[in-house]
Amino acid sequence: MAMKKDFQELRQKDDQTVVKYEKEFSRLALYAPGLIPTKQSKIHKFLRGLNRQISVHIIGQPSFDTFAKVRECA
């Protein structure tokens, strides 16, 4: 239950690289599959958790069809 809550509240920290954020995201996602039941919900959750300085450059780009594309773009 604690891991699920951690996943719900997960946000990239100011001093955290995208790589470290993605690793933490992927680790915690294993404990909360019901929160991201589809590929698009996983992408949306990842984008919402990105640091604002990064997300402003990504959101509004052509839609992503895979999580890998989002990760690479970030």
Side-chain angles (χ1 to χ4, degrees), residues 2-4 6-7 10 13 16 19-33 36 42 46 67:
M3 298 292 208
K4 185 176 179 179
D6 289 347
F7 182 71
L10 183 64
K13 297 170 183 67
Q16 188 178 39
V19 171
K20 287 184 179 180
Y21 167 67
E22 188 274 326
K23 284 183 180 184
E24 184 70 358
F25 180 92
S26 294
R27 183 182 74 81
L28 291 173
L30 296 172
Y31 298 97
I36 48 170
K42 182 178 182 179
F46 182 80
F67 182 72

Side-chain angles (χ1 to χ4, degrees), residues 39-57:
K39 177 173 50 172
Q40 286 301 320
S41 61
K42 182 178 182 179
I43 289 169
H44 185 69
K45 169 69 174 133
F46 182 80
L47 288 172
R48 279 194 335 240
L50 282 173
N51 182 304
R52 179 128 173 91
Q53 294 174 341
I54 296 170
S55 66
V56 296
H57 297 288

